[in-house]
Amino acid sequence: MSLRALWVISHQSGENATVRFSRRFSTVEYRAKCLAGSTYVEVPEEGTVLQLLLTELGLSDPDKFYVPLRDDCLHRPRLPALELHVDGPGKGILWPVLTISHGPLILACLCLVDCPLEPRPPLANLFSVSQGLTLLRGLQTFLLGSGSKADTEGLSCRLAMLPSIMLQVCPLGTPLDVPTVATAATPSVPIPAGNQKQPAWKTGFHKGRAVVNVAVKETVRSMQYGQRSRQDLWDVYGTVTCKCEVEGVLPNVTVTLTLPPNGSPLQDILVHPCVTSLDSSILTASSVDNCDGSAFSGPYKFPFSPPLEPFMLCSYTSQVPVPPILGSYQLKEEENHLRVSATLKLHESVKNSFEFCEAHVPFFNRDQMGAVEMKVSSGQLDVSKEKNLLVWSLGPKFPKSLEVTMEGRITFSGPTPGPTDPLCTELTAYIKLHFKVPDITLSGCCVDQHSVQVYSSAKPRISTSGTVVQ
């Protein structure tokens, strides 16, 4: 549930009421317009809202005790939700407008109602009303503290912090939290310097030493058939993720990706919306088109203004000449068992250091495994508790020959049938590899720490990494 608008009004005896803070949420207003259709009522300007609120609360003219729209016997007030008659009785009614009057302040908000307004739904059924009241109470405590009065300087300071606070507790009009008393006493959200406007998608600021972490991760997708009639397929899908802690409203950071001299150009590049500018030639390379050698091969510069949270700066694909691990897998049906043999060979260009490396060998459309007489040249072989899967753990390294083998026979004499698969019938089967190689990428794509540019007053700490997984 969401809010369409919020107002903070200062009203003290002997002084004119003024709107000290207001916020409208255009995305929520668009939803309100779509939901209401022909009955949609636009939120008027601040001055009109101020006058309507003061009239409804009986504060516009203390000497005028009777207002027909407010005090007529036919009008049934449903506090704390007020009706604001924008264009007169019966037309142009804003509802529900929630208000809290405390000390020198009046806090009000207009809730979004996602059900028909006529007949009026019970307030207890509207979740946005509960959220709106909770937010107003939290803002009241934040602005005035535990008492009903606040010193002028303290109130002005907290009102100045309110734009940043609202981006945290109510981003894009959706209440997520309330400011705490500790926040009011010692603000944890830095106030942006200068007149630069804070974007709605950025919910706060970083204060302290600049830190930039960049990680390149490549995922290998490969299908090897071992048949001349069917071509093996493989590709590499890469992502570049960033976590930037840099001071400023819209700080500027530039990350540059580089390739080795003989590296294949990156293709199918997609970038995060925070990227401010980009060479058009970077986006033209596509894996659908045949690469003629004229494609842009870097360096790939990405200038951006980062959000606070970790995000994916870009993604890409790359055509590598060979898969990192080549394999062959054969099955032969004999009298009462199945003869199994497999060979895996690590390509010499791949770093022989794994965080993990496992080969999963499933069996479908058969009974559970009975006797398993298998030998492996390296690593350890286990049978899953469901007795339908072999797990071959190869450990952190391949042997010096860079080749491992598995062979033996299996009987399927379990008491219950195993899983079924419409494709893996008779001798049609597969081995699935899972591995992770740190500090390397197959495409050779990398981020040089010295190429990361951060426009900040403090010297940044920069870290980069690369990983290959399958």
Side-chain angles (χ1 to χ4, degrees):
M1 298 300 159
S2 305
L3 305 180
R4 295 172 60 182
L6 180 132
W7 302 272
V8 177
I9 300 169
S10 175
H11 182 269
Q12 291 179 315
S13 57
E15 298 182 4
N16 292 329
T18 56
V19 178
R20 302 290 298 273
F21 174 82
S22 68
R23 177 59 53 85
R24 298 189 188 190
F25 304 99
S26 56
T27 54
V28 182
E29 195 64 19
Y30 178 77
R31 289 163 55 196
K33 188 174 182 179
C34 294
L35 289 170
S38 60
T39 61
Y40 168 72
V41 179
E42 185 179 0
V43 180
E45 297 298 323
E46 284 183 6
T48 305
V49 172
L50 175 61
Q51 190 59 40
L52 292 173
L53 274 173
L54 294 178
T55 301
E56 194 67 27
L57 295 172
L59 301 173
S60 60
D61 189 353
D63 298 328
K64 191 174 182 179
F65 297 102
Y66 178 77
V67 177
L69 291 177
R70 180 190 69 207
D71 302 319
D72 191 276
C73 294
L74 297 178
H75 177 63
R76 298 175 57 189
R78 305 175 67 187
L79 298 178
L82 304 179
E83 290 183 352
L84 299 187
H85 297 261
V86 179
D87 297 320
K91 32 183 175 173
I93 298 177
L94 291 176
W95 181 89
V97 178
L98 309 178
T99 60
I100 292 180
S101 300
H102 194 74
L105 296 181
I106 301 173
L107 292 90
C109 67
L110 174 61
C111 302
L112 174 68
V113 179
D114 55 1
C115 62
L117 296 179
E118 295 295 341
R120 289 278 192 262
L123 291 177
N125 294 348
L126 300 178
F127 186 47
S128 59
V129 171
S130 302
Q131 284 191 319
L133 286 174
T134 301
L135 178 63
L136 293 182
R137 288 294 184 190
L139 291 176
Q140 170 197 315
T141 305
F142 170 75
L143 294 171
L144 298 176
S146 56
S148 61
K149 293 184 179 181
D151 61 284
T152 305
E153 184 178 353
L155 181 58
S156 299
C157 178
R158 292 179 180 120
L159 284 169
M161 294 171 57
L162 210 50
S164 298
I165 293 294
M166 285 298 297
L167 282 174
Q168 284 195 324
V169 301
C170 190
L172 301 178
T174 302
L176 301 179
D177 201 354
V178 294
T180 62
V181 178
T183 306
T186 307
S188 60
V189 180
I191 301 174
N195 297 323
Q196 194 172 20
K197 185 178 179 182
Q198 182 178 0
W201 51 263
K202 192 164 187 176
T203 59
F205 303 94
H206 171 73
K207 191 168 183 64
R209 183 180 180 183
V211 179
V212 178
N213 295 317
V214 185
V216 182
K217 179 181 178 180
E218 291 188 345
T219 302
V220 184
R221 298 175 293 193
S222 174
M223 295 185 67
Q224 302 175 39
Y225 300 99
Q227 299 177 5
R228 293 184 179 180
S229 59
R230 303 194 66 174
Q231 184 179 5
D232 295 344
L233 302 173
W234 65 87
D235 66 358
V236 172
Y237 172 76
T239 59
V240 181
T241 56
C242 298
K243 176 69 169 74
C244 301
E245 298 175 348
V246 185
E247 289 186 352
V249 179
L250 289 172
N252 293 318
V253 180
T254 299
V255 170
T256 303
L257 303 181
T258 58
L259 293 172
N262 58 345
S264 298
L266 304 183
Q267 301 172 331
D268 306 320
I269 296 177
L270 298 175
V271 298
H272 191 275
C274 72
V275 175
T276 54
S277 62
L278 202 62
D279 190 337
S280 60
S281 59
I282 293 179
L283 302 176
T284 56
S286 171
S287 59
V288 177
D289 304 326
N290 292 325
C291 183
D292 58 359
S294 63
F296 182 76
S297 58
Y300 302 84
K301 289 190 175 183
F302 300 92
F304 58 94
S305 181
L308 291 179
E309 67 276 2
F311 68 101
M312 187 173 72
L313 175 63
C314 68
S315 64
Y316 61 87
T317 62
S318 178
Q319 300 294 330
V320 295
V322 291
I325 298 178
L326 297 171
S328 65
Y329 180 36
Q330 293 182 344
L331 296 179
K332 184 178 181 181
E333 195 88 51
E334 297 185 352
E335 292 183 358
N336 297 321
H337 59 267
L338 189 68
R339 177 70 61 176
V340 180
S341 64
T343 302
L344 301 175
K345 183 175 178 61
L346 179 68
H347 193 269
E348 57 186 9
S349 63
V350 179
K351 180 181 177 182
N352 190 9
S353 178
F354 296 82
E355 283 193 15
F356 63 86
C357 183
E358 291 184 348
H360 291 190
V361 188
F363 296 96
F364 298 98
N365 306 312
R366 299 175 182 272
D367 293 336
Q368 290 180 326
M369 286 185 281
V372 179
E373 301 175 2
M374 302 290 297
K375 291 183 180 181
V376 294
S377 63
S378 180
Q380 180 179 344
L381 189 66
D382 296 309
V383 180
S384 68
K385 63 179 181 180
E386 295 84 6
K387 296 187 180 301
N388 54 41
L389 174 70
L390 294 179
V391 179
W392 185 9
S393 299
L394 297 169
K397 282 189 175 184
F398 274 63
K400 289 185 179 181
S401 63
L402 302 182
E403 184 173 300
V404 293
T405 59
M406 175 184 68
E407 59 181 355
R409 61 181 187 177
I410 304 172
T411 59
F412 296 89
S413 56
T416 58
T420 60
D421 186 284
L423 297 179
C424 296
T425 58
E426 297 181 350
L427 296 181
T428 303
Y430 63 86
I431 292 180
K432 189 171 185 179
L433 290 178
H434 304 269
F435 62 82
K436 182 175 183 181
V437 186
D439 304 324
I440 190 176
T441 58
L442 287 178
S443 66
C445 177
C446 65
V447 179
D448 185 2
Q449 292 187 6
H450 302 290
S451 69
V452 178
Q453 299 176 358
V454 180
Y455 299 93
S456 173
S457 57
K459 185 177 180 180
R461 179 169 61 86
I462 299 171
S463 66
T464 60
S465 65
T467 306
V468 177
V469 298
Q470 175 166 323

